[in-house]
Amino acid sequence: MLHAVAASAVVLMVSVGVSAWSNSRLVARVANDLEVYTHIPTARADAKRERFEALRRHSAELARYASNGEPTGLGWGLYRGKRLQVALERVTATSHSPSIPAHSPPFAVTIDNFLLFDSGKTTLKPGAEPRLKGVLDLIRANPDKRILIAGHTDNTGPSVANQKLSEARAQAIRDWFVNTASLPVTRFAIQGYGYTRPIASNENRQGREMNRRVEITFIPDSGTQ
């Protein structure tokens, strides 16, 4: 009995220690990107934009934890993601993505479907607008770019249904941009890929979450160069 209690105590101590270490790493990673982004000169648009998108990815990751619960490795009452999420959303909501150089190659912004749509739905969630407004700022700042909106899913469910779902979501986002900013619909192209272009394994939950995404690609308009 004593051995079992001792073993349980050791496991608990190790788990708490791992959580403390993991939370420290999370805080350091996010804080570093915030610090670097703040100090990159506006003239370095590429570097500024790259770090800005890293902050958005951090924000999406923490938003998933807030909805689904933080991973076990970050638990035991030590999770500090809520404060980080507030700091990230303050920066990404009030800062504009830097403009893209006129002759740069295509550049994509990726948004987690969870932040935009409820499961299986094609109507934008009320909380989607702050995410899309940041991309809209980038679209407005780059009138010489055409916009490709591509929807992607994981491999759960029939392929035909996933393809239709991904295309309908891309169209919903296109329509929001057009209606919100009175942009010409001809500036946009939409595509649904279903689960045919995964960026992670569909064999685990984390991989499936990464695959459920929308990619908004800025493409130089050959007619303006």
Side-chain angles (χ1 to χ4, degrees):
M1 181 66 179
L2 290 176
H3 288 297
V5 172
S8 297
V10 170
V11 170
L12 176 60
M13 291 176 62
V14 171
S15 298
V16 172
V18 169
S19 178
W21 179 81
S22 298
N23 275 286
S24 295
R25 288 287 301 274
L26 174 65
V27 171
R29 177 160 48 94
V30 174
N32 177 72
D33 280 341
L34 283 167
E35 179 74 11
V36 171
Y37 173 77
T38 301
H39 289 90
I40 294 177
T42 303
R44 295 181 57 197
D46 286 342
K48 193 89 171 175
R49 185 183 67 249
E50 180 180 353
R51 194 65 60 164
F52 187 84
E53 294 307 320
L55 296 180
R56 280 188 174 161
R57 288 193 294 273
H58 290 320
S59 183
E61 177 186 5
L62 296 181
R64 285 198 299 271
Y65 294 165
S67 176
N68 302 330
E70 65 268 14
T72 303
L74 294 172
W76 298 101
L78 301 175
Y79 181 61
R80 298 163 67 183
K82 292 182 179 179
R83 289 185 179 181
L84 291 174
Q85 189 177 0
V86 171
L88 285 167
E89 292 187 349
R90 184 182 301 120
V91 171
T92 57
T94 59
S95 300
H96 300 306
S97 293
S99 61
I100 305 169
H103 300 287
S104 65
F107 165 75
V109 175
T110 300
I111 307 178
D112 191 327
N113 275 343
F114 163 77
L115 300 173
L116 303 177
F117 302 96
D118 288 322
S119 178
K121 303 298 183 181
T122 60
T123 302
L124 288 166
K125 297 165 63 172
E129 291 195 2
R131 308 288 174 178
L132 292 178
K133 283 180 179 177
V135 181
L136 180 57
D137 289 336
L138 191 54
I139 292 173
R140 285 169 164 161
N142 294 275
D144 60 329
K145 303 294 189 298
R146 297 197 67 192
I147 312 301
L148 170 62
I149 305 173
H152 302 266
T153 70
D154 61 22
N155 68 347
T156 304
S159 60
V160 173
N162 278 315
Q163 194 279 331
K164 290 182 178 179
L165 177 66
S166 60
E167 184 173 345
R169 286 176 168 177
Q171 181 175 332
I173 293 170
R174 188 270 316 271
D175 292 347
W176 186 89
F177 287 139
V178 170
N179 295 331
T180 300
S182 298
L183 296 172
V185 70
T186 52
R187 190 178 171 192
F188 297 85
I190 60 172
Q191 180 68 56
Y193 288 107
Y195 57 68
T196 62
R197 296 191 176 185
I199 57 174
S201 172
N202 277 307
E203 299 303 314
N204 55 73
R205 189 183 73 174
Q206 183 177 9
R208 290 191 294 272
E209 287 177 350
M210 293 177 65
N211 290 332
R212 296 193 295 265
R213 69 197 190 279
V214 173
E215 292 178 345
I216 303 173
T217 304
F218 292 75
I219 304 171
D221 189 341
S222 58
T224 64
Q225 298 185 24

